[in-house]
């Protein structure tokens, strides 16, 4: 599954419709964010049960403020409408996969 770009206009609709959403807060000037986007895209192909969503913090400042984002990249996992995990900084593909596997076991 490809990643979805979230905006103020579609955020609630997408987050409310999916049991699990991985939010990737990023900025175009952030080299770590750009590199991590490739890892995120590959992971989204392996996890069809998770909605992978990106939020450009420069363009969606209201969403970034609402989520208290102070650094990018930041990942937030939402399960059944509730934030259950936050990860600051880019992670390797192996760490991301481990994190997602652990979250899937939590139900």
């Amino acid at each position: 599954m490809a990643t979805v770009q979230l905006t103020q206009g579609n955020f609630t609709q997408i987050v409310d419709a999916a049991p699990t959403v991985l939010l990737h807060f990023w900025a175009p000037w952030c080299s770590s964010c750009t590199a991590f986007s490739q890892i995120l895209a590959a992971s989204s192909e392996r996890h069809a049960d998770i909605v992978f969503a990106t939020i450009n913090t420069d363009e969606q400042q209201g969403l970034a403020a609402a989520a208290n984002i102070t650094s990018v990249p930041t990942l937030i996992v939402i399960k059944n409408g509730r934030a259950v995990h936050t990860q600051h900084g880019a992670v390797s593909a192996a760490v991301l996969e481990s994190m997602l596997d652990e979250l899937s076991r939590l139900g």
Side-chain angles (χ1 to χ4, degrees), residues 79-99:
K79 288 185 72 87
N80 301 315
R82 201 175 112 247
V84 296
H85 182 77
T86 301
Q87 173 71 47
H88 301 286
V91 296
S92 68
V95 169
L96 179 60
E97 289 302 312
S98 177
M99 181 181 78

Side-chain angles (χ1 to χ4, degrees), residues 59-93:
E59 294 176 357
Q60 302 301 319
Q61 293 178 7
L63 290 177
N68 296 315
I69 302 302
T70 58
S71 64
V72 290
T74 295
L75 300 175
I76 298 177
V77 178
I78 299 178
K79 288 185 72 87
N80 301 315
R82 201 175 112 247
V84 296
H85 182 77
T86 301
Q87 173 71 47
H88 301 286
V91 296
S92 68

Side-chain angles (χ1 to χ4, degrees), residues 2 5 13 18 20 25 29 31 35 40 45 65 69 73 76 84 98 100:
Q5 291 183 0
Q13 175 188 355
T20 306
F25 289 87
W29 47 262
S31 60
L40 194 70
E45 296 298 322
I69 302 302
I76 298 177
V84 296
S98 177
L100 295 175

Side-chain angles (χ1 to χ4, degrees), residues 24 26-28 30-42 73 90-93:
H24 173 221
W26 69 284
C30 169
S31 60
S32 295
C33 299
T34 303
F36 182 69
S37 292
Q38 296 172 13
I39 292 170
L40 194 70
V91 296
S92 68

